[in-house]
Amino acid sequence: MLQVNFLRENKERVIAGLHKRNFKTIELVDEAIVADDERRRLQFELDENLAQMNKISKEIGILMKEGKKEDAEVAKAKTGEFKENAQVLKHKLEEVEARLQAILYQIPNVPYEKVKAGVSAEDNENIYQSHEVSGLGEGAIPHWELAKKYQLIDFELGVKIAGAGFPVYLGKGARLQRALVQYFLDKNVDAGYLEVNPPHVVNEASGYGTGQLPDKEGQMYHIGLDDLYLIPTAEVPVTNIYRDVILEEKELPIKNTAFSQCYRREAGSYGAHVRGLNRLHQFEKVEIVRIEKPENSYAALEEMVEHVKGILTDLELPFRILRLCGGDMGFTSAMTYDFEVWSAAQEKWLEVSSVSNFETFQANRLKCRYKGNEGKPQLVHTLNGSAMALPRIMAAILENNQTENGIKIPAKLVEYTRFDMIG
């Protein structure tokens, strides 16, 4: 969430940034400033009212000591009027504050200066590609057929147990899945990330803290009786560790990694593009989260990009890195890099990781600050990335490594799988 003072002091920059996003309701910026003006006016009136009430209350004591009971009674009547007025002002102030909050929740983050204007994925910048890519030719089959052929994943059994989008991994498929999780975690820990094992459900405050609420409640599974949400990514519980926390400067940077199941309703997702592992309601992912001083966050973002790049290089997969345009970025992000692997059998790119800097957008919601040398707490910058999401990585490994004799396991994974071929 953007701070209203930031909107006020950087109005032209905010509006230019929102245009980069192709954001339509620019008038929300002015509405927020107007609501804040009203909030300030009401707060001033309330403060003045309370000051007068306190002044008269002190006078009552003096009048009583001097024996001026009639004057004291008149003063008491005045304090009653001030009390009633204070209640009215407090009520109005609460209403205005709620309205201001609701407006601010609707305004997305301002894109970083390097982010280009754009409307959709077609406007994203391709900043790196590891290989020239092509199809595997005649005889290559997609991962859902490979999974059936080698009894790795049973999609129909998942439908029986839960529904579409909940696959069951079997045998070497389950072992490859587990190997990927362990490899990703080890890679992250070796890079200085502290492993965290968070809850897989969060409360409403946590959803608001990282920006899943109120923007994406339709995509989250809600447990109505307990008013909890199944997490769409470990980013949510891990980042919320630092909600309502004032950190010491010496504690920064904070680097966490976590494995979790992820749950997404993916409402409206149908068709061939969501076949097999391409889009699921439940999947596994390893996440990296960083809390940084503002002046260091973009260097940290580039470091995270290089880290994910190293993982995909280790897995011997053809991949590319995209810097997203304004119109394709998530609501909370200031800058995002997407990683896509090449699906040789499907002959298309599949997104497997998204690495983002949210600047102060999440921190403002979380009230996560740090004390610098000057002693005054200031907002941190938060960052997160997938390192990695498993379903499409699994799909790419199966498809790109299929041979006449079976599926070859990338060398870096063999010590985890304890087999080098599926066949």
Side-chain angles (χ1 to χ4, degrees), residues 15-295:
I15 289 174
L18 295 180
H19 280 305
K20 273 189 180 184
R21 282 182 168 275
N22 200 36
F23 185 65
K24 301 300 184 185
T25 50
I26 301 291
E27 64 274 8
L28 288 173
V29 175
D30 283 328
E31 289 180 19
I33 293 171
V34 169
D36 188 52
D37 287 338
E38 187 177 355
R39 181 194 65 79
R40 293 182 180 198
R41 179 185 62 78
L42 288 168
Q43 186 66 63
F44 178 79
E45 286 185 24
L46 178 60
D47 291 343
E48 285 289 300
N49 188 93
L50 293 173
Q52 288 294 322
M53 190 169 70
N54 290 336
K55 180 183 176 184
I56 294 172
S57 294
K58 290 177 182 178
E59 290 175 355
I60 290 171
I62 296 171
L63 291 170
M64 292 296 287
K65 285 180 181 179
E66 294 175 351
K68 299 177 180 178
K69 291 185 179 181
E70 290 184 10
D71 291 340
E73 290 300 323
V74 171
K76 282 182 182 179
K78 285 184 180 179
T79 59
E81 292 174 9
F82 278 116
K83 281 182 182 178
E84 288 181 11
N85 195 38
Q87 290 302 316
V88 172
L89 288 170
K90 282 180 182 178
H91 180 68
K92 288 182 178 179
L93 182 61
E94 288 170 359
E95 287 184 337
V96 171
E97 287 175 337
R99 187 168 79 247
L100 174 60
Q101 191 87 331
I103 295 169
L104 292 174
Y105 277 141
Q106 297 176 64
I107 302 174
N109 205 352
V110 177
Y112 185 57
E113 58 188 18
K114 285 187 178 180
V115 175
K116 290 192 172 181
V119 177
S120 67
E122 295 180 358
D123 301 313
N124 294 335
E125 300 176 84
N126 187 344
I127 64 168
Y128 176 85
Q129 187 165 316
S130 64
H131 300 77
E132 290 296 322
V133 296
S134 61
L136 290 177
E138 191 174 347
I141 59 177
H143 68 271
W144 52 86
E145 292 183 23
L146 290 167
K148 187 173 183 178
K149 178 179 179 180
Y150 295 107
Q151 298 181 344
L152 305 174
I153 307 168
D154 194 324
F155 294 100
E156 293 178 2
L157 185 56
V159 171
K160 171 188 172 182
I161 296 169
F166 298 91
V168 177
Y169 297 84
L170 304 167
K172 286 188 174 180
R175 288 170 65 185
L176 176 56
Q177 182 91 339
R178 174 161 52 89
L180 283 165
V181 170
Q182 190 60 62
Y183 163 70
F184 294 151
L185 285 171
D186 285 351
K187 190 82 172 176
N188 296 343
V189 169
D190 288 346
Y193 289 87
L194 175 71
E195 185 175 349
V196 177
N197 190 345
H200 290 186
V201 295
V202 293
N203 55 29
E204 186 178 68
S206 294
Y208 273 94
T210 44
Q212 276 67 36
L213 298 175
D215 183 46
K216 296 188 178 83
E217 61 265 42
Q219 294 296 330
M220 296 174 73
Y221 284 99
H222 183 231
I223 307 168
L225 185 63
D226 301 296
D227 197 20
L228 295 170
Y229 294 86
L230 295 177
I231 62 171
T233 165
E235 169 205 348
V236 182
V238 173
T239 310
N240 271 279
I241 291 171
Y242 307 99
R243 176 158 48 90
D244 298 321
V245 170
I246 298 178
L247 299 162
E248 295 295 331
E249 186 173 9
K250 64 184 178 183
E251 296 179 79
L252 300 176
I254 289 170
K255 300 168 67 175
N256 291 154
T257 185
F259 158 72
S260 75
Q261 296 289 344
C262 303
Y263 304 89
R264 300 182 186 180
R265 293 186 63 243
E266 299 287 4
S269 296
Y270 306 100
H273 70 290
V274 300
R275 286 197 68 180
L277 297 172
N278 286 350
R279 186 161 294 176
L280 301 176
H281 294 304
Q282 177 184 326
F283 60 95
E284 296 180 318
K285 184 152 71 89
V286 176
E287 196 81 358
I288 50 177
V289 171
R290 293 179 70 145
I291 311 292
E292 294 278 350
K293 292 171 64 176
E295 61 266 30

